[in-house]
Amino acid sequence: MEAGGLPLELWRMILAYLPLPDLGRCSLVCRAWRELILSLDRTRWRQLYLGCAECRHPNWPNQPDVEPESWREAFKQHYLASKTWTKNAAILETSVCFSLFRRRRMRRTLSVGPGHEFHSLGSALAMSSLFDRILLFPGLHEEQGEIILKVPVEIVGHGKLGEVALLASIDQQCSTTRLCNLVFMPAWFSPFMFKTTSGHVQFDNCNFENGHIQVHGPGTCQVKFCSFKNTHVFLHNVPLCVLENCEFVGSENNSVTVEGHPSSENNWAYTHLLGLIRSSPAVLPTEDSDSLMSLDLESRDQAWSPRTCGIVIEGSQSPTSPTTGSPRAGSQEAEVGSNGERVARTPDSSDGGLSPSGEDEDEDQLTYRLSYQVQGPRPVLGGSFLGPPLPGASIQLPSCLVLNSLQQELQKDREAMALASSVQGCLIRKCLFRDGKGGVFVCSYGRAKMEGNIFRNLTYAVRCIHNSKIIMLRNHIHHCRASGIFLRLEGGGLIAGNNICHNAEAGVDIRKKSNPLILCNQIHHGLRSGIVVLGNGKGIIRNNQIFSNKEAGIYILYHGNPVVSRNHIFKGHAAGIAVNENGRGLITENVIRENQWGGVDIRRGGVPILRSNLICFGYSDGVVVGDEGKGLLEGNTIYANKGCGVWMMASSLPHVTSNHVSYNGLYGVAVFSQKDGSGEFPGGHGAQENFSEDGDAILWETELEKDDDPLRRPITIALVESNSVNHNGASGLYIQSSEALHIVTNVIHANRVRGITVAQSSQLTRVANNSISCNRQSGVKIEAQCKVELRGNGIYDNRGHGVITKGDSTVMENDIIGNRGSGLQLLPMSDTKVIKNRIHSFRASGIAVQGHAKALVQENTIFQGRTNKTIFQQSSTNQDCIIQNNRFLVFKKSDTWRLANPPARPHLENSLRGPSAAHGGQKVTAMATRITAHVEGGYHSKRSIFCTIL
């Protein structure tokens, strides 16, 4: 725009000298002039705002160095807010009669101070009329009696803030009033500096020191740019109250108390305040401000799909068989290790289901291959969780594990969106609470909403008790001496998008039937746990980042029963989630990674449901089910933890089903029964922990909720079923237990030691309908004095013996095919019943009986391996081995052998128990993954990792 030949820069310089009314008139000239006026935002509008004595920096007190997006908009919002108290002026100044013949009365200004019209505030109020302005000049104004406001007035301090001090106790009995630019201190006779019961009061740019402010409903208040030093604001049954851009310092008790349900009776200011709140910029989440990772597990894809093996032994290679698998030239034969167990040393052999042919046979002799496909693992997560973890590589989570932003979560959850948008009771926005005892206390059905505040160096930030509700959005809560947010006695509400860190106790403490929604928060670097749920507390904990806390990320105990879903819990100094002391909870679709202790630790009566979680890269075990721990572990991916995938005690009766347990440093699943001395817990999870509110002992409620959860299926024996356990650093399953145990319909594949090791089993361990294949040593090893039943398993292509036993075992109706050692190795002092099995070995005997082993070998079908190997090998002096009605098949060139009637085992269609049976196809997958890592030593401790270290 150019007028009279003047450039824009010169016009801006001229307009910068105009006062506010003239700027408004110029903006009405035309569109070009309006755009020119708006372009003065960083110059003239900024100057006008900062020159106003009634306001402070728009981002005070939290970010006084950060400029607002628009100075003009900030000035507009302040101007509109400062006029709220006069919105009922037309009603008060209009009389019923003769209103048409009355002239509008002009507002007067009454001056108070030495040398002015009035010497005291009381004398000026006695002469004031409606909406007069009382101007207090610099000095100390002390009132010896209580001041009663009977007409609406405006009391303003002249000069800079701090020059005018008022020592008074004011009782407002009129409909509205405004106080600005004053320093309030209590009078000698009362700690209350101001109170109102029905009217509206507005405080702008004031300081309050060492006293109390009290507002009772239906009264309302609006407070902006005020500082409270050791001052308590008490709000009782208020329908609406706004505290904005205020500072609360050094409180000896609570800074703000909100008590009682909002009054159903509203005064005249309620609608005006509500409109002002909705027109002002809200502290609501934005799409690009959320950096939370997420989890969207396809929980309905099970850890493995049931498949039927098709095994054919014939003279020529099947067209469906793999084309590789014979040892390369120079490969070494498997050696015999201790106790007669064969240990494969072929470095380049495949994990696939193709057993190698004979190496030294002449070409004129028949060379044949065993063509079959074994059951391979099918994880719930694909991509990077199918292969081994790469050393030193950063963790790359699949795209399906990226959570929505807070705005997206609120859009998906209509109830949460409605809650976040509602305003009722007290609204506290952009305030600073610091260096005191308490921040905000909401009690007795109170309602409070807190947006964009900072709470620091307090004993606690927010307490919500007695059926009260809080809404907390985008607050920063840190360095509290106790818990950051505390909910008790059926407190609830929405806690979303907050940054909660460096607190001495839990970031969020939920107890005594409180039931909040905790959504999209960052809870980190706490000196204890991130979130604690106890004392029958509930709650929905969803979509949060919980990391780097010194104790458990989430700690559930004393009958706490939350729903924990789609959180990222990582880099904690203790367990990711700890459940004990009769804690419960539904824990589903979380990413739990890189924690120092167990990803999930269940003890002392804890009975959670763990479903469809990713538990990975932990520095200890993935899941620990310790003494008296119970619960259901279903559909989880437990990957690349340095300890065991699952460490549990059989006496606790855990139910482990449909999990994918792979690439863990030690055992895939380790089962113990001996007490591990775990009275001490990592990170202070011990019996002496104190969860009282202020450090005092607390008596917990004795009433228990009824256990009517339909998701929990009671079991009487520890059960490991329908899991995929593969590529773990030691045995897939390790059992050292004096309790009964059932291992049913699992896929145990390519582990670095054995498929299953039974080191101790004084009661029966039942191993039924499992696929045990491609493990580095034997498929199954049973130590002395162990009671084990193997029934209906498929034991294929292991690099040692198929089954090696020293104990009291029953091997019935199994397919033991293609193992590099003997199909079945019976060691001295064993007592074994071998009935109705189909057994084959390429390089060794089908059954080898060592020494004086006691055995009943009956009704088995045993295929010949190499033509120069015997089908059945035993000592000629052994009189305790009974052989009856077995079928020995010596291969002939014209023969074709097929496994039929029944088909190849395991038979899974009728064996699956639980939800995993409804999913997964029957497709057969050939496993051709090559193991390149070495076994990192044996680990046979009777304790979990952290117990061993302690």
Side-chain angles (χ1 to χ4, degrees):
M1 179 194 76
E2 292 191 7
L6 294 180
L8 291 177
E9 290 76 9
L10 188 56
W11 276 111
R12 292 191 180 100
M13 186 178 298
I14 295 171
L15 294 174
Y17 289 94
L18 295 181
L20 180 62
D22 292 337
L23 284 177
R25 296 185 185 100
C26 290
S27 65
L28 300 176
V29 173
C30 63
R31 181 177 297 176
W33 277 73
R34 175 177 173 78
E35 292 177 355
L36 180 61
I37 298 302
L38 293 179
S39 68
L40 302 175
D41 189 80
R42 301 293 177 184
T43 54
R44 183 55 179 162
W45 287 110
R46 182 178 184 274
Q47 184 181 10
L48 286 171
Y49 185 98
L50 296 178
C52 179
E54 297 181 358
C55 58
R56 308 188 194 189
H57 191 283
N59 289 324
W60 182 88
N62 294 336
Q63 295 177 307
D65 299 328
V66 179
E67 290 197 355
E69 294 183 4
S70 171
W71 286 96
R72 176 183 171 276
E73 184 65 26
F75 189 76
K76 173 186 173 182
Q77 292 296 331
H78 171 72
Y79 179 82
L80 293 176
S82 66
K83 302 302 179 183
T84 302
W85 76 285
T86 63
K87 295 296 183 180
N88 69 334
I91 301 174
L92 293 176
E93 292 179 350
T94 303
S95 62
V96 178
C97 300
F98 307 110
S99 60
L100 298 177
F101 305 100
R102 241 171 132 191
R103 278 207 262 175
R104 183 181 180 89
R105 188 185 63 81
M106 298 299 294
R107 292 180 60 191
R108 294 186 302 164
T109 299
L110 308 179
S111 300
V112 178
H116 292 275
E117 183 179 0
F118 298 96
H119 293 283
S120 67
L121 175 62
S123 60
L125 288 172
M127 301 299 295
S128 63
S129 299
L130 295 176
F131 298 100
D132 282 345
R133 180 185 179 97
I134 299 177
L135 193 63
L136 301 183
F137 279 82
L140 180 64
H141 300 265
E142 183 176 3
E143 300 295 328
Q144 298 300 320
E146 187 178 50
I147 300 295
I148 299 178
L149 300 180
K150 295 184 178 181
V151 294
V153 292
E154 181 182 30
I155 304 174
V156 181
H158 183 270
K160 296 181 180 180
L161 177 63
E163 294 180 353
V164 180
L166 178 61
L167 279 72
S169 177
I170 301 176
D171 184 1
Q172 178 188 346
Q173 297 179 3
C174 58
S175 60
T176 182
T177 191
R178 178 175 185 252
L179 300 103
C180 178
N181 207 38
L182 298 168
V183 176
F184 282 88
M185 290 181 284
W188 62 272
F189 55 86
S190 174
F192 287 95
M193 295 179 288
F194 192 95
K195 57 185 176 180
T196 183
T197 57
S198 60
H200 172 72
V201 60
Q202 181 171 335
F203 295 103
D204 289 322
N205 197 37
C206 293
N207 288 350
F208 298 86
E209 298 180 5
N210 304 312
H212 303 292
I213 297 173
Q214 181 174 286
V215 180
H216 279 259
T220 57
C221 69
Q222 180 182 356
V223 185
K224 192 167 185 178
F225 296 123
C226 292
S227 178
F228 298 83
K229 182 178 180 181
N230 192 25
T231 299
H232 181 209
V233 179
F234 182 81
L235 308 173
H236 183 76
N237 294 113
V238 292
L240 190 58
C241 174
V242 180
L243 280 69
E244 191 170 10
N245 293 94
C246 295
E247 182 182 34
F248 296 84
V249 184
S251 62
E252 294 180 355
N253 204 330
N254 312 303
S255 295
V256 179
T257 296
V258 183
E259 182 180 23
H261 194 278
S263 172
S264 59
E265 179 185 357
N266 301 327
N267 64 10
W268 68 268
Y270 178 83
T271 55
H272 297 286
L273 280 178
L274 202 58
L276 182 67
I277 292 169
R278 291 173 177 172
S279 65
S280 61
V283 189
L284 287 177
T286 56
E287 288 287 346
D288 57 351
S289 61
D290 283 285
S291 60
L292 294 181
M293 296 178 291
S294 71
L295 174 60
D296 186 17
L297 291 178
E298 300 176 2
S299 58
R300 294 173 180 80
D301 290 338
Q302 297 303 314
W304 60 288
S305 59
R307 309 180 182 98
T308 303
C309 293
I311 302 180
V312 178
I313 302 177
E314 54 188 353
S316 61
Q317 181 179 343
S318 168
T320 62
S321 64
T323 58
T324 61
S326 298
R328 298 179 183 176
S331 63
Q332 298 181 9
E333 184 74 38
E335 294 184 352
V336 177
S338 62
N339 298 323
E341 183 172 3
R342 298 171 64 89
V343 180
R345 296 182 57 190
T346 308
D348 58 346
S349 58
S350 169
D351 286 345
L354 181 64
S355 287
S357 63
E359 301 172 10
D360 302 325
E361 296 184 36
D362 298 332
E363 291 186 1
D364 58 345
Q365 289 183 313
L366 178 64
T367 301
Y368 62 91
R369 297 172 185 269
L370 174 62
S371 175
Y372 64 92
Q373 293 171 313
V374 301
Q375 309 216 17
R378 181 170 178 248
V380 285
L381 297 176
S384 59
F385 298 101
L386 285 173
L390 300 176
S394 60
I395 300 173
Q396 298 294 331
L397 295 176
S399 59
C400 65
L401 299 183
V402 179
L403 277 184
N404 297 322
S405 66
L406 176 56
Q407 183 64 32
Q408 291 171 332
E409 283 292 311
L410 292 177
Q411 289 173 354
K412 290 168 57 179
D413 190 336
R414 294 184 179 180
E415 183 179 352
M417 175 62 83
L419 197 59
S421 303
S422 65
V423 179
Q424 191 180 25
C426 180
L427 171 63
I428 304 173
R429 184 160 57 184
K430 300 179 184 178
C431 294
L432 171 64
F433 296 81
R434 64 179 178 89
D435 303 323
K437 182 178 180 181
V440 179
F441 179 48
V442 188
C443 61
S444 302
Y445 296 89
R447 300 290 186 270
K449 182 175 183 178
M450 288 155 271
E451 293 182 290
N453 304 287
I454 294 177
F455 299 84
R456 72 167 188 250
N457 298 323
L458 304 167
T459 300
Y460 63 87
V462 178
R463 291 179 69 177
C464 176
I465 67 172
H466 290 119
N467 300 95
S468 299
K469 298 291 184 290
I470 58 174
I471 302 170
M472 300 193 65
L473 300 174
R474 301 287 183 183
N475 301 282
H476 187 193
I477 302 170
H478 62 100
H479 291 97
C480 293
R481 293 182 290 276
S483 298
I485 302 173
F486 185 86
L487 298 103
R488 181 184 176 191
L489 296 174
E490 301 186 52
L494 172 65
I495 301 171
N498 302 282
N499 185 19
I500 304 171
C501 60
H502 297 98
N503 297 291
E505 298 289 336
V508 181
D509 190 315
I510 306 168
R511 51 178 96 187
K512 292 192 176 180
K513 299 184 180 180
S514 295
N515 190 17
L517 171 59
I518 302 175
L519 183 67
C520 296
N521 302 280
Q522 292 190 4
I523 304 172
H524 58 99
H525 291 94
L527 299 183
R528 297 191 72 178
S529 298
I531 298 176
V532 170
V533 185
L534 66 160
N536 291 311
K538 298 181 181 178
I540 299 174
I541 304 171
R542 189 172 77 227
N543 212 79
N544 301 280
Q545 278 187 323
I546 304 172
F547 60 95
S548 299
N549 296 287
K550 285 195 174 180
E551 295 184 7
I554 298 177
Y555 198 5
I556 306 170
L557 67 165
Y558 297 118
H559 311 290
N561 190 17
V563 176
V564 182
S565 64
R566 300 192 345 239
N567 301 281
H568 278 208
I569 305 170
F570 57 99
K571 294 185 178 179
H573 298 282
I577 298 177
V579 186
N580 61 47
E581 303 293 350
N582 300 306
R584 300 176 64 186
L586 173 61
I587 302 169
T588 177
E589 298 184 350
N590 300 280
V591 176
I592 305 170
R593 60 183 175 90
E594 300 177 270
N595 295 286
Q596 291 292 331
W597 304 111
V600 179
D601 192 295
I602 306 167
R603 297 173 184 270
R604 295 180 178 176
V607 194
I609 296 174
L610 269 68
R611 179 171 291 148
S612 302
N613 300 282
L614 170 61
I615 304 171
C616 61
F617 300 105
Y619 295 99
S620 181
D621 306 319
V623 178
V624 175
V625 185
D627 187 19
E628 299 180 14
K630 303 180 188 298
L632 170 66
L633 281 64
E634 180 181 25
N636 302 284
T637 298
I638 304 172
Y639 175 83
N641 298 283
K642 289 190 175 181
C644 303
V646 179
W647 187 99
M648 65 183 190
M649 298 180 65
S651 58
S652 299
L653 302 181
H655 185 182
V656 183
T657 178
S658 305
N659 301 283
H660 186 82
V661 185
S662 62
Y663 292 101
N664 297 285
L666 302 177
Y667 309 115
V669 178
V671 184
F672 298 91
S673 65
Q674 295 171 334
K675 302 299 184 292
D676 62 357
S678 55
E680 299 179 10
F681 287 80
H685 292 160
Q688 302 302 320
E689 277 194 287
N690 189 351
F691 286 96
S692 62
E693 301 167 30
D694 296 313
D696 299 326
I698 192 166
L699 296 178
W700 299 104
E701 301 165 324
T702 58
E703 67 272 15
L704 304 181
E705 300 178 12
K706 294 183 179 179
D707 191 1
D708 55 359
D709 194 338
L711 298 177
R712 303 173 190 267
R713 174 158 60 92
I715 60 173
T716 57
I717 296 177
L719 181 60
V720 179
E721 66 169 348
S722 305
N723 302 282
S724 173
V725 184
N726 65 90
H727 295 93
N728 295 287
S731 297
L733 270 77
Y734 182 86
I735 297 100
Q736 185 170 331
S737 171
S738 58
E739 310 288 339
L741 173 67
H742 287 181
I743 302 171
V744 184
T745 62
N746 300 281
V747 172
I748 303 169
H749 176 80
N751 296 284
R752 294 185 184 178
V753 184
R754 306 174 194 91
I756 298 177
T757 299
V758 184
Q760 176 185 334
S761 179
S762 57
Q763 295 192 36
L764 181 64
T765 296
R766 182 171 177 262
V767 181
N769 295 317
N770 300 281
S771 174
I772 305 169
S773 62
C774 304
N775 296 285
R776 184 66 64 91
Q777 296 182 18
S778 301
V780 179
K781 182 177 182 181
I782 303 168
E783 294 289 353
Q785 299 180 351
C786 292
K787 297 179 181 179
V788 180
E789 177 186 310
L790 298 176
R791 184 187 294 266
N793 302 283
I795 303 172
Y796 305 122
D797 203 20
N798 297 283
R799 299 184 184 181
H801 304 296
V803 177
I804 179 171
T805 176
K806 299 179 184 178
D808 183 358
S809 55
T810 300
V811 182
M812 180 179 293
E813 298 177 352
N814 301 280
D815 286 342
I816 306 173
I817 305 293
N819 301 283
R820 297 192 182 183
S822 300
L824 185 61
Q825 181 94 347
L826 308 181
L827 297 181
M829 307 306 294
S830 63
D831 186 355
T832 309
K833 296 179 179 64
V834 184
I835 303 172
K836 295 183 180 179
N837 301 280
R838 292 180 293 198
I839 303 172
H840 171 271
S841 175
F842 276 107
R843 296 175 176 164
S845 303
I847 299 177
V849 181
Q850 303 291 330
H852 293 280
K854 183 178 180 180
L856 171 62
V857 183
Q858 183 177 349
E859 299 183 27
N860 300 281
T861 300
I862 307 175
F863 300 93
Q864 184 186 36
R866 280 185 172 184
T867 56
N868 60 351
K869 293 288 185 179
T870 59
I871 297 177
F872 189 93
Q873 176 186 344
Q874 69 170 331
S875 172
S876 59
T877 61
N878 188 355
Q879 303 297 323
D880 295 326
C881 182
I882 302 174
I883 303 174
Q884 295 177 347
N885 302 326
N886 297 282
R887 184 184 178 194
F888 298 94
L889 296 182
V890 179
F891 186 79
K892 296 182 181 179
K893 194 170 186 179
S894 60
D895 289 344
T896 299
W897 294 341
R898 296 180 182 274
L899 297 184
N901 297 321
R905 299 179 178 93
H907 302 154
L908 302 176
E909 294 83 354
N910 299 322
S911 301
L912 289 175
R913 304 169 55 187
S916 59
H919 305 283
Q922 300 296 321
K923 181 179 178 182
V924 178
T925 302
M927 297 306 299
T929 307
R930 187 177 302 275
I931 297 179
T932 57
H934 298 287
V935 179
E936 298 179 358
Y939 188 88
H940 303 281
S941 173
K942 301 176 183 178
R943 304 168 182 261
S944 63
I945 279 187
F946 71 78
C947 295
T948 302
I949 294 176
L950 289 175

